[in-house]
Amino acid sequence: MNIILIGPPGAGKGTQAATLVKKHNMVQLSTGDMLRAARTSGTELGKTVAGVMDRGELVTDEIVIGLIEEQLKAGDVSGGFIFDGFPRTLAQADALSELLSKVDQKLDTVIQMTVDDKVLVNRITGRFTCGSCGEGYHEEFKKPATHDKCDKCGAADTFKKRADDNEVSLRTRLMAYYKETSPLIGYYYAKGQLEQVNGLNSIDRVGLDISKVMAGVS
Ligand code: AP5
């Protein structure tokens, strides 16, 4: 099954995608993670996108479509793909549809994670990840068992925060979401592919609701 998780920054897309990978053996395609990996490894692409990402603006369609195309051709598709943070513009949505048909795949459903914008600042500023394995945490909602040690891989003192996880950048990211990405909700609704889950519920409850949606379309 191939699904898109759509929602503003901090809606919980990455958190739920990680669960789906474990539960359903799906492949997570997060353009944000791909771009951050390019920055960490110091590639030309990473250097090109660094400032844009830190300001909270969108990287060009051409770059992210290229990244997704590479992954679609290379990925293990047995469990299907979770598109996390892609598409983000109508041009990206059209490109995804073409790319999927080229690899004989189709989009099964688009899950919109609805949230109240007021919770996003807290979710974003409280977020941190393990620098060793990438496991995500939150200062209030998902604390590690020991404050300086990753529950997943056991690494100590590796927790880090994203450069764009501050209130100024979040405002620009939210603006980009409402201007460029939210029209996709109408686009997929009109195609009969849109489902919604309440992203304000607990992490576990949101996961159960996503599983229910997926069971309904399989
Ligand atoms: P990207 O990495 O995609 O960031 P984003 O869309 O802003 O989304 P986030 O990762 O911030 O939020 P999330 O919904 O995954 O939340 P999470 O699960 O971590 O993009 C970064 C940048 O890359 C963009 O600004 C842009 O520059 C560029 N980019 C990427 N893709 C692009 C594209 N397609 N086109 C152009 N440019 C692109 O949750 C957040 C926190 O809340 C966590 O700490 C979590 O533990 C907690 N949490 C999650 N769910 C809950 C819950 N239900 N209750 C309580 N806490 C929760």
Side-chain angles (χ1 to χ4, degrees):
M1 171 169 298
N2 298 313
I3 69 166
I4 293 174
L5 295 181
I6 193 166
K13 305 178 294 291
T15 302
Q16 296 302 331
T19 305
L20 290 171
V21 168
K22 286 184 213 145
K23 215 165 148 184
H24 300 288
N25 194 29
M26 297 174 85
V27 175
Q28 177 186 8
L29 295 184
S30 157
T31 37
D33 286 348
M34 292 175 210
L35 294 166
R36 278 184 290 278
R39 290 181 65 174
T40 305
S41 47
T43 62
E44 278 312 307
L45 169 66
K47 287 176 197 157
T48 307
V49 298
V52 176
M53 291 178 77
D54 289 350
R55 287 193 297 277
E57 294 163 7
L58 290 187
V59 167
T60 64
D61 289 337
E62 196 189 355
I63 288 178
V64 289
I65 291 166
L67 288 171
I68 288 289
E69 184 168 18
E70 247 172 61
Q71 295 293 319
L72 279 183
K73 286 180 180 161
D76 167 7
V77 294
S78 58
F81 293 110
I82 308 151
F83 296 96
D84 160 12
F86 182 91
R88 255 174 156 97
T89 63
L90 288 166
Q92 292 177 25
D94 285 337
L96 177 62
S97 161
E98 276 176 36
L99 290 173
L100 282 172
S101 69
K102 270 195 209 162
V103 292
D104 280 329
Q105 295 277 323
K106 68 174 176 57
L107 183 63
D108 293 286
T109 190
V110 178
I111 302 176
Q112 180 193 1
M113 304 180 64
T114 61
V115 279
D116 183 334
D117 290 348
K118 287 184 198 134
V119 306
L120 299 178
V121 175
N122 186 18
R123 284 201 189 173
I124 289 293
T125 54
R127 170 169 58 185
F128 58 98
T129 54
C130 170
S132 182
C133 71
E135 182 72 356
Y137 293 96
H138 190 278
E139 285 162 6
E140 192 180 334
F141 308 117
K142 194 184 166 200
K143 296 179 187 172
T146 310
H147 80 283
D148 58 353
K149 198 168 158 197
C150 177
D151 293 345
K152 190 177 170 194
C153 74
D157 295 322
T158 62
F159 291 140
K160 58 175 191 180
K161 289 202 166 221
R162 272 170 48 176
D164 59 344
D165 276 353
N166 57 72
E167 283 197 53
V168 176
S169 173
L170 175 62
R171 250 172 241 292
T172 310
R173 284 155 69 194
L174 262 181
M175 192 63 84
Y177 176 77
Y178 285 114
K179 217 169 146 186
E180 306 281 352
T181 310
S182 64
L184 296 185
I185 289 160
Y187 171 94
Y188 285 117
Y189 175 78
K191 283 176 160 240
Q193 290 181 304
L194 189 76
E195 300 286 343
Q196 288 182 325
V197 297
N198 183 353
L200 287 173
N201 285 328
S202 70
I203 293 175
D204 289 348
R205 172 67 200 275
V206 176
L208 288 175
D209 290 345
I210 289 177
S211 292
K212 269 191 217 158
V213 167
M214 289 171 64
V217 291
S218 62

